[in-house]
Amino acid sequence: MEPTLVIVGAGIVGLAHAVEGVRRGMRVVVLDRDERAVGASIRNFGHVCVTAQDGHALDLALAARRTWLDLSERVGFRVWRAGTVVLARADDEMAVLSQFARLRGDSQVRLLDKVPLPLVADDVVGAALLPLDLRVDPREVVPALAAWLSARGVDFRWRTAVTSVEPGLVRTTRGVVAADAVVVAVGHDVDRLLPDLADEAGLTRCRLRMFEVASPGGHVVEPAVLSGLSMLRYAGLAATPAAADVRARIARTRPELLDAVVNLMFTQRPDGNLVVGDTHHYALTHGPFLDEDVDELVLREAARLLGVAALTVRRRWTGVYASAPGEFLVAAPHPTTRVVSVTSGIGMTTAFGLAPTVLDGL
Ligand SMILES: Cc1cc2nc3c(=O)[nH]c(=O)nc-3n(C[C@H](O)[C@H](O)[C@H](O)COP(=O)(O)OP(=O)(O)OC[C@H]3O[C@@H](n4cnc5c(N)ncnc54)[C@H](O)[C@@H]3O)c2cc1C
């Protein structure tokens, strides 16, 4: 009898563990409280943001990149390989790109003579291409992966909320499931199942504001696009000496962007619309009320970045991910259980790198 791996949560982290469990010949059961995955994994930019990571996250991202490319062939979803363009709109931002290029070399970071985008702000002073980065459409890949796994024998039980995980079994709203091993991949809801573990890890919830806007002029923008604000957000870019100058200048001239923790960036959807964001607001419990001025700030800045007067909003939403002092939470409340949460907003980039390391330890 093959061992049974029970996975709680059908977001990208749960699915990555399911892919890995199947690869290792395990019997895999995935439990999710919803009718389909509607969490962070379908609400994001689909940006496989490899190069801007640092240290352990960079290693996981490079491994995950290989799996994304492999799965794209086997599952049959599209991966965009045009990389990421990082725009610099001030000398200190250009210094970050130059330092990053020197550090990582040509295979990872290329300074560009010309900005390869159809739309761009007129204050852009330079840009870099991160050619290893990928893009996927999260709204396509998450259900596609679940369907593909299901066809390979993974037992998905939807609308089945897990109420507790104990050695050898998982209790759910639809009865008890026996398990040789359990991976709890519930994203930002670890505290609902294991409150003490969540408190110990310093877990909180980060809520982001997101927009889908019509692409001005219907232009195609193949790469993901990051801005100077992204240089403060991603560990690899933020580790360059010049990043401190970028932060100090923005704090002096545009403090409202730091107050709302804006990471101005966008990716394009298959229908041509641009996914634009984002903001970061941290709390254990988020109230339901959204201030319009924060949305206006992001949309105004995004329009400026694209060099247009205004953007036409097609959709708005919020997304929540788990946040903690470390980039990843991997905990073992008992020997056959692992709690896995990407606590830094990079689950699309790293989940496929993380899952094999977690199953190695189980
Ligand atoms: C707006 C936004 C933009 C982002 N952009 C990017 C990006 O471009 N690139 C990137 O790398 N990362 C990005 N991220 C981060 C990334 O989306 C997350 O790290 C990742 O999706 C987390 O995956 P997950 O499977 O842990 O969580 P989720 O996708 O939230 O899945 C958790 C699942 O667990 C289920 N669940 C919870 N509790 C229970 C229970 N008790 N019983 C049963 N089921 C349960 C939920 O129903 C849910 O389906 C972004 C995040 C957000 C919110």
Side-chain angles (χ1 to χ4, degrees):
M1 288 279 283
E2 5 23 301
T4 301
L5 171 66
V6 174
I7 296 168
V8 188
I12 199 67
V13 174
L15 294 174
H17 286 83
V19 167
E20 195 54 28
V22 168
R23 202 180 67 75
R24 290 168 192 231
M26 301 174 92
R27 198 173 88 76
V28 180
V29 180
V30 179
L31 309 170
D32 199 288
R33 65 185 171 199
D34 273 308
E35 186 193 23
R36 61 186 187 285
V38 291
S41 303
I42 64 149
R43 299 176 188 225
N44 58 57
F45 293 95
H47 185 205
V48 183
C49 180
V50 176
T51 313
Q53 310 306 326
D54 206 7
H56 181 49
L58 177 60
D59 293 340
L60 295 182
L62 286 165
R65 178 182 190 275
R66 289 191 288 276
T67 305
W68 273 117
L69 292 172
D70 175 47
L71 285 173
S72 121
E73 302 269 312
R74 292 201 284 146
V75 180
F77 56 77
R78 184 164 173 200
V79 171
W80 284 261
R81 299 178 189 215
T84 297
V85 169
V86 192
L87 297 173
R89 296 158 80 196
D91 291 343
D92 48 26
E93 294 176 7
M94 201 54 227
V96 168
L97 296 184
S98 304
Q99 290 167 3
F100 198 45
R102 267 202 301 281
L103 195 69
R104 295 290 181 88
D106 200 49
S107 63
Q108 289 195 19
V109 184
R110 290 179 204 149
L111 296 180
L112 301 170
D113 299 329
K114 194 171 163 292
V115 179
L117 301 176
L119 292 155
V120 86
D122 52 16
D123 58 354
V124 168
V125 294
L129 175 69
L130 316 182
L132 294 183
D133 287 14
L134 307 173
R135 236 174 13 87
V136 295
D137 178 22
R139 296 177 227 182
E140 179 202 354
V141 296
V142 169
L145 279 165
W148 182 78
L149 285 164
S150 182
R152 267 143 201 85
V154 174
D155 179 4
F156 279 85
R157 302 191 196 167
W158 301 102
R159 294 175 57 230
T160 303
V162 170
T163 52
S164 74
V165 178
E166 295 160 33
L169 63 89
V170 174
R171 291 187 196 282
T172 83
T173 44
R174 294 179 191 273
V176 172
V177 183
D180 295 301
V182 181
V183 170
V184 178
V186 293
H188 54 80
D189 280 343
V190 174
D191 59 347
R192 309 262 201 254
L193 279 176
L194 297 141
D196 294 339
L197 189 150
D199 286 354
E200 217 169 281
L203 276 176
T204 188
R205 291 179 172 78
C206 176
R207 183 176 70 187
L208 292 76
R209 309 277 272 274
M210 300 286 285
F211 310 86
E212 200 176 303
V213 303
S215 175
H219 286 292
V220 174
V221 188
E222 285 274 330
V225 178
L226 299 182
S227 70
L229 286 158
S230 316
M231 299 174 190
L232 308 180
R233 188 96 217 131
Y234 297 107
L237 289 160
T240 58
D245 301 332
V246 175
R247 181 175 290 282
R249 174 181 48 80
I250 296 176
R252 211 171 48 246
T253 57
R254 303 293 312 280
E256 70 280 16
L257 294 170
L258 297 187
D259 292 345
V261 198
V262 175
N263 168 19
L264 190 61
M265 63 173 286
F266 65 88
T267 54
Q268 190 162 45
R269 299 213 56 238
D271 65 6
N273 287 341
L274 304 178
V275 176
V276 169
D278 53 18
T279 59
H280 300 78
H281 177 220
Y282 299 86
L284 271 173
T285 297
H286 286 277
F289 309 110
L290 302 171
D291 291 333
E292 189 60 22
D293 55 352
V294 176
D295 285 10
E296 283 167 7
L297 174 68
V298 176
L299 289 168
R300 213 169 37 242
E301 289 306 311
R304 280 189 55 218
L305 185 72
L306 286 158
V308 297
L311 293 166
T312 306
V313 179
R314 299 278 190 223
R315 290 192 178 92
R316 292 170 201 246
W317 65 97
T318 60
V320 178
Y321 64 68
S323 176
E327 288 180 306
F328 305 96
L329 168 70
V330 179
H334 17 83
T336 56
T337 302
R338 292 294 178 276
V339 177
V340 185
S341 184
V342 179
T343 48
S344 48
I346 53 172
M348 293 298 274
T349 305
T350 56
F352 285 111
L354 188 57
T357 69
V358 171
L359 291 198
D360 281 348
L362 254 180

mmCIF file of all heavy atoms in Angstrom, residues 207-241:
data_model
loop_
_atom_site.group_PDB
_atom_site.id
_atom_site.type_symbol
_atom_site.label_atom_id
_atom_site.label_comp_id
_atom_site.label_asym_id
_atom_site.label_seq_id
_atom_site.Cartn_x
_atom_site.Cartn_y
_atom_site.Cartn_z
ATOM 1 N N ARG A 207 -2.932 42.369 3.523
ATOM 2 C CA ARG A 207 -3.988 42.542 2.519
ATOM 3 C C ARG A 207 -3.507 43.499 1.423
ATOM 4 O O ARG A 207 -2.958 44.564 1.716
ATOM 5 C CB ARG A 207 -5.258 43.098 3.160
ATOM 6 C CG ARG A 207 -6.392 43.207 2.132
ATOM 7 C CD ARG A 207 -7.684 43.656 2.764
ATOM 8 N NE ARG A 207 -7.591 45.052 3.174
ATOM 9 C CZ ARG A 207 -8.526 45.683 3.873
ATOM 10 N NH1 ARG A 207 -9.609 45.044 4.260
ATOM 11 N NH2 ARG A 207 -8.368 46.952 4.218
ATOM 12 N N LEU A 208 -3.728 43.101 0.186
ATOM 13 C CA LEU A 208 -3.272 43.882 -0.971
ATOM 14 C C LEU A 208 -4.470 44.368 -1.774
ATOM 15 O O LEU A 208 -5.479 43.668 -1.880
ATOM 16 C CB LEU A 208 -2.399 43.012 -1.890
ATOM 17 C CG LEU A 208 -1.031 42.560 -1.376
ATOM 18 C CD1 LEU A 208 -1.158 41.435 -0.356
ATOM 19 C CD2 LEU A 208 -0.150 42.116 -2.518
ATOM 20 N N ARG A 209 -4.334 45.554 -2.365
ATOM 21 C CA ARG A 209 -5.357 46.074 -3.279
ATOM 22 C C ARG A 209 -4.859 45.854 -4.695
ATOM 23 O O ARG A 209 -3.711 46.153 -5.030
ATOM 24 C CB ARG A 209 -5.552 47.567 -3.035
ATOM 25 C CG ARG A 209 -5.780 47.871 -1.573
ATOM 26 C CD ARG A 209 -7.214 47.670 -1.207
ATOM 27 N NE ARG A 209 -7.912 48.897 -1.454
ATOM 28 C CZ ARG A 209 -7.971 49.878 -0.556
ATOM 29 N NH1 ARG A 209 -7.411 49.749 0.617
ATOM 30 N NH2 ARG A 209 -8.608 50.995 -0.829
ATOM 31 N N MET A 210 -5.759 45.360 -5.536
ATOM 32 C CA MET A 210 -5.385 44.975 -6.908
ATOM 33 C C MET A 210 -6.410 45.512 -7.901
ATOM 34 O O MET A 210 -7.593 45.636 -7.579
ATOM 35 C CB MET A 210 -5.347 43.456 -7.021
ATOM 36 C CG MET A 210 -4.359 42.761 -6.110
ATOM 37 S SD MET A 210 -2.659 42.955 -6.626
ATOM 38 C CE MET A 210 -2.600 41.826 -8.004
ATOM 39 N N PHE A 211 -5.951 45.733 -9.116
ATOM 40 C CA PHE A 211 -6.817 46.288 -10.169
ATOM 41 C C PHE A 211 -6.529 45.591 -11.486
ATOM 42 O O PHE A 211 -5.390 45.219 -11.758
ATOM 43 C CB PHE A 211 -6.533 47.790 -10.363
ATOM 44 C CG PHE A 211 -6.529 48.547 -9.084
ATOM 45 C CD1 PHE A 211 -5.374 48.633 -8.327
ATOM 46 C CD2 PHE A 211 -7.682 49.151 -8.622
ATOM 47 C CE1 PHE A 211 -5.367 49.300 -7.122
ATOM 48 C CE2 PHE A 211 -7.684 49.826 -7.414
ATOM 49 C CZ PHE A 211 -6.516 49.906 -6.664
ATOM 50 N N GLU A 212 -7.582 45.488 -12.271
ATOM 51 C CA GLU A 212 -7.387 45.065 -13.658
ATOM 52 C C GLU A 212 -7.834 46.260 -14.489
ATOM 53 O O GLU A 212 -8.965 46.733 -14.324
ATOM 54 C CB GLU A 212 -8.272 43.850 -13.923
ATOM 55 C CG GLU A 212 -7.856 43.027 -15.098
ATOM 56 C CD GLU A 212 -8.756 41.798 -15.212
ATOM 57 O OE1 GLU A 212 -8.832 41.021 -14.251
ATOM 58 O OE2 GLU A 212 -9.392 41.667 -16.264
ATOM 59 N N VAL A 213 -6.949 46.742 -15.356
ATOM 60 C CA VAL A 213 -7.267 47.927 -16.157
ATOM 61 C C VAL A 213 -7.113 47.579 -17.639
ATOM 62 O O VAL A 213 -6.350 46.672 -17.996
ATOM 63 C CB VAL A 213 -6.342 49.126 -15.799
ATOM 64 C CG1 VAL A 213 -6.433 49.469 -14.323
ATOM 65 C CG2 VAL A 213 -4.896 48.872 -16.200
ATOM 66 N N ALA A 214 -7.850 48.310 -18.468
ATOM 67 C CA ALA A 214 -7.698 48.118 -19.912
ATOM 68 C C ALA A 214 -6.288 48.555 -20.302
ATOM 69 O O ALA A 214 -5.773 49.559 -19.792
ATOM 70 C CB ALA A 214 -8.733 48.959 -20.646
ATOM 71 N N SER A 215 -5.657 47.801 -21.189
ATOM 72 C CA SER A 215 -4.323 48.192 -21.645
ATOM 73 C C SER A 215 -4.479 49.417 -22.544
ATOM 74 O O SER A 215 -5.148 49.335 -23.580
ATOM 75 C CB SER A 215 -3.693 47.032 -22.429
ATOM 76 O OG SER A 215 -2.466 47.437 -22.978
ATOM 77 N N PRO A 216 -3.869 50.545 -22.180
ATOM 78 C CA PRO A 216 -4.049 51.736 -23.002
ATOM 79 C C PRO A 216 -3.618 51.476 -24.449
ATOM 80 O O PRO A 216 -2.532 50.941 -24.689
ATOM 81 C CB PRO A 216 -3.143 52.777 -22.330
ATOM 82 C CG PRO A 216 -2.982 52.286 -20.931
ATOM 83 C CD PRO A 216 -3.015 50.793 -21.008
ATOM 84 N N GLY A 217 -4.498 51.800 -25.383
ATOM 85 C CA GLY A 217 -4.185 51.583 -26.799
ATOM 86 C C GLY A 217 -4.195 50.120 -27.198
ATOM 87 O O GLY A 217 -3.816 49.778 -28.318
ATOM 88 N N GLY A 218 -4.589 49.234 -26.276
ATOM 89 C CA GLY A 218 -4.629 47.805 -26.592
ATOM 90 C C GLY A 218 -3.249 47.185 -26.766
ATOM 91 O O GLY A 218 -3.108 46.122 -27.366
ATOM 92 N N HIS A 219 -2.226 47.854 -26.217
ATOM 93 C CA HIS A 219 -0.856 47.355 -26.431
ATOM 94 C C HIS A 219 -0.594 46.031 -25.719
ATOM 95 O O HIS A 219 -1.166 45.753 -24.667
ATOM 96 C CB HIS A 219 0.162 48.380 -25.927
ATOM 97 C CG HIS A 219 0.271 49.568 -26.830
ATOM 98 N ND1 HIS A 219 0.806 49.484 -28.087
ATOM 99 C CD2 HIS A 219 -0.086 50.856 -26.660
ATOM 100 C CE1 HIS A 219 0.777 50.678 -28.656
ATOM 101 N NE2 HIS A 219 0.232 51.524 -27.813
ATOM 102 N N VAL A 220 0.292 45.243 -26.325
ATOM 103 C CA VAL A 220 0.742 43.987 -25.705
ATOM 104 C C VAL A 220 2.023 44.273 -24.926
ATOM 105 O O VAL A 220 2.938 44.918 -25.445
ATOM 106 C CB VAL A 220 1.011 42.917 -26.792
ATOM 107 C CG1 VAL A 220 1.616 41.662 -26.179
ATOM 108 C CG2 VAL A 220 -0.289 42.589 -27.533
ATOM 109 N N VAL A 221 2.050 43.823 -23.679
ATOM 110 C CA VAL A 221 3.239 44.004 -22.840
ATOM 111 C C VAL A 221 3.657 42.623 -22.352
ATOM 112 O O VAL A 221 3.115 42.107 -21.381
ATOM 113 C CB VAL A 221 2.936 44.926 -21.630
ATOM 114 C CG1 VAL A 221 4.233 45.256 -20.880
ATOM 115 C CG2 VAL A 221 2.226 46.193 -22.066
ATOM 116 N N GLU A 222 4.599 42.028 -23.018
ATOM 117 C CA GLU A 222 4.969 40.630 -22.716
ATOM 118 C C GLU A 222 5.627 40.464 -21.344
ATOM 119 O O GLU A 222 5.252 39.566 -20.593
ATOM 120 C CB GLU A 222 5.895 40.083 -23.803
ATOM 121 C CG GLU A 222 5.168 39.740 -25.097
ATOM 122 C CD GLU A 222 4.573 38.334 -25.083
ATOM 123 O OE1 GLU A 222 5.140 37.462 -24.405
ATOM 124 O OE2 GLU A 222 3.542 38.128 -25.733
ATOM 125 N N PRO A 223 6.635 41.272 -20.998
ATOM 126 C CA PRO A 223 7.282 41.021 -19.703
ATOM 127 C C PRO A 223 6.432 41.526 -18.539
ATOM 128 O O PRO A 223 5.543 42.362 -18.729
ATOM 129 C CB PRO A 223 8.590 41.835 -19.790
ATOM 130 C CG PRO A 223 8.416 42.772 -20.917
ATOM 131 C CD PRO A 223 7.250 42.368 -21.738
ATOM 132 N N ALA A 224 6.721 41.040 -17.350
ATOM 133 C CA ALA A 224 6.211 41.691 -16.139
ATOM 134 C C ALA A 224 6.977 43.002 -15.992
ATOM 135 O O ALA A 224 8.127 43.100 -16.422
ATOM 136 C CB ALA A 224 6.457 40.802 -14.933
ATOM 137 N N VAL A 225 6.342 44.014 -15.392
ATOM 138 C CA VAL A 225 7.013 45.311 -15.257
ATOM 139 C C VAL A 225 7.047 45.715 -13.782
ATOM 140 O O VAL A 225 6.014 45.735 -13.104
ATOM 141 C CB VAL A 225 6.293 46.390 -16.103
ATOM 142 C CG1 VAL A 225 6.972 47.746 -15.920
ATOM 143 C CG2 VAL A 225 6.300 45.990 -17.586
ATOM 144 N N LEU A 226 8.249 45.998 -13.290
ATOM 145 C CA LEU A 226 8.451 46.471 -11.915
ATOM 146 C C LEU A 226 8.945 47.916 -11.951
ATOM 147 O O LEU A 226 9.483 48.363 -12.961
ATOM 148 C CB LEU A 226 9.500 45.619 -11.190
ATOM 149 C CG LEU A 226 9.227 44.122 -11.012
ATOM 150 C CD1 LEU A 226 10.383 43.476 -10.218
ATOM 151 C CD2 LEU A 226 7.913 43.863 -10.303
ATOM 152 N N SER A 227 8.785 48.597 -10.821
ATOM 153 C CA SER A 227 9.195 50.007 -10.748
ATOM 154 C C SER A 227 10.210 50.198 -9.619
ATOM 155 O O SER A 227 10.580 49.244 -8.934
ATOM 156 C CB SER A 227 7.964 50.864 -10.466
ATOM 157 O OG SER A 227 7.537 50.613 -9.137
ATOM 158 N N GLY A 228 10.586 51.448 -9.384
ATOM 159 C CA GLY A 228 11.511 51.769 -8.291
ATOM 160 C C GLY A 228 10.971 51.321 -6.941
ATOM 161 O O GLY A 228 11.732 50.914 -6.058
ATOM 162 N N LEU A 229 9.637 51.384 -6.779
ATOM 163 C CA LEU A 229 9.068 50.944 -5.494
ATOM 164 C C LEU A 229 9.288 49.446 -5.272
ATOM 165 O O LEU A 229 9.411 48.993 -4.146
ATOM 166 C CB LEU A 229 7.573 51.281 -5.451
ATOM 167 C CG LEU A 229 7.278 52.772 -5.248
ATOM 168 C CD1 LEU A 229 5.879 53.126 -5.745
ATOM 169 C CD2 LEU A 229 7.456 53.175 -3.794
ATOM 170 N N SER A 230 9.357 48.688 -6.376
ATOM 171 C CA SER A 230 9.610 47.240 -6.246
ATOM 172 C C SER A 230 11.020 46.986 -5.706
ATOM 173 O O SER A 230 11.280 45.932 -5.129
ATOM 174 C CB SER A 230 9.477 46.547 -7.604
ATOM 175 O OG SER A 230 8.351 46.998 -8.315
ATOM 176 N N MET A 231 11.920 47.953 -5.930
ATOM 177 C CA MET A 231 13.305 47.783 -5.466
ATOM 178 C C MET A 231 13.377 47.759 -3.939
ATOM 179 O O MET A 231 14.369 47.338 -3.364
ATOM 180 C CB MET A 231 14.185 48.913 -6.008
ATOM 181 C CG MET A 231 14.246 48.938 -7.515
ATOM 182 S SD MET A 231 15.139 50.394 -8.115
ATOM 183 C CE MET A 231 14.772 50.301 -9.870
ATOM 184 N N LEU A 232 12.309 48.273 -3.296
ATOM 185 C CA LEU A 232 12.288 48.277 -1.833
ATOM 186 C C LEU A 232 11.644 47.011 -1.294
ATOM 187 O O LEU A 232 11.665 46.748 -0.098
ATOM 188 C CB LEU A 232 11.486 49.495 -1.332
ATOM 189 C CG LEU A 232 11.906 50.837 -1.911
ATOM 190 C CD1 LEU A 232 11.044 51.946 -1.343
ATOM 191 C CD2 LEU A 232 13.386 51.098 -1.627
ATOM 192 N N ARG A 233 11.039 46.250 -2.158
ATOM 193 C CA ARG A 233 10.166 45.144 -1.767
ATOM 194 C C ARG A 233 10.861 43.786 -1.884
ATOM 195 O O ARG A 233 10.712 42.942 -1.024
ATOM 196 C CB ARG A 233 8.954 45.223 -2.702
ATOM 197 C CG ARG A 233 7.845 44.363 -2.449
ATOM 198 C CD ARG A 233 6.710 44.966 -1.655
ATOM 199 N NE ARG A 233 6.206 43.915 -0.803
ATOM 200 C CZ ARG A 233 5.981 44.032 0.467
ATOM 201 N NH1 ARG A 233 6.192 45.168 1.077
ATOM 202 N NH2 ARG A 233 5.538 43.013 1.163
ATOM 203 N N TYR A 234 11.595 43.561 -2.985
ATOM 204 C CA TYR A 234 12.163 42.241 -3.236
ATOM 205 C C TYR A 234 13.586 42.184 -2.698
ATOM 206 O O TYR A 234 14.409 43.061 -2.981
ATOM 207 C CB TYR A 234 12.126 41.927 -4.737
ATOM 208 C CG TYR A 234 10.709 41.867 -5.258
ATOM 209 C CD1 TYR A 234 10.190 42.875 -6.058
ATOM 210 C CD2 TYR A 234 9.878 40.809 -4.904
ATOM 211 C CE1 TYR A 234 8.875 42.835 -6.508
ATOM 212 C CE2 TYR A 234 8.564 40.754 -5.345
ATOM 213 C CZ TYR A 234 8.070 41.766 -6.141
ATOM 214 O OH TYR A 234 6.769 41.726 -6.566
ATOM 215 N N ALA A 235 13.864 41.093 -1.944
ATOM 216 C CA ALA A 235 15.094 41.023 -1.154
ATOM 217 C C ALA A 235 16.363 41.257 -1.974
ATOM 218 O O ALA A 235 17.282 41.933 -1.514
ATOM 219 C CB ALA A 235 15.154 39.680 -0.451
ATOM 220 N N GLY A 236 16.424 40.698 -3.206
ATOM 221 C CA GLY A 236 17.627 40.826 -4.015
ATOM 222 C C GLY A 236 17.908 42.278 -4.367
ATOM 223 O O GLY A 236 19.039 42.774 -4.206
ATOM 224 N N LEU A 237 16.882 42.979 -4.837
ATOM 225 C CA LEU A 237 17.045 44.394 -5.203
ATOM 226 C C LEU A 237 17.252 45.251 -3.954
ATOM 227 O O LEU A 237 18.103 46.154 -3.931
ATOM 228 C CB LEU A 237 15.802 44.874 -5.960
ATOM 229 C CG LEU A 237 15.627 44.313 -7.371
ATOM 230 C CD1 LEU A 237 14.188 44.436 -7.837
ATOM 231 C CD2 LEU A 237 16.565 45.023 -8.344
ATOM 232 N N ALA A 238 16.505 44.937 -2.898
ATOM 233 C CA ALA A 238 16.576 45.752 -1.670
ATOM 234 C C ALA A 238 17.932 45.624 -0.985
ATOM 235 O O ALA A 238 18.307 46.484 -0.187
ATOM 236 C CB ALA A 238 15.457 45.344 -0.720
ATOM 237 N N ALA A 239 18.685 44.549 -1.309
ATOM 238 C CA ALA A 239 19.991 44.344 -0.671
ATOM 239 C C ALA A 239 21.096 45.186 -1.317
ATOM 240 O O ALA A 239 22.203 45.276 -0.784
ATOM 241 C CB ALA A 239 20.372 42.869 -0.744
ATOM 242 N N THR A 240 20.827 45.812 -2.457
ATOM 243 C CA THR A 240 21.871 46.651 -3.078
ATOM 244 C C THR A 240 22.062 47.911 -2.233
ATOM 245 O O THR A 240 21.088 48.433 -1.658
ATOM 246 C CB THR A 240 21.473 47.059 -4.516
ATOM 247 O OG1 THR A 240 20.230 47.761 -4.453
ATOM 248 C CG2 THR A 240 21.324 45.852 -5.433
ATOM 249 N N PRO A 241 23.286 48.423 -2.153
ATOM 250 C CA PRO A 241 23.517 49.622 -1.318
ATOM 251 C C PRO A 241 22.644 50.810 -1.736
ATOM 252 O O PRO A 241 22.152 51.555 -0.880
ATOM 253 C CB PRO A 241 25.001 49.928 -1.554
ATOM 254 C CG PRO A 241 25.599 48.631 -2.016
ATOM 255 C CD PRO A 241 24.528 47.871 -2.716
#
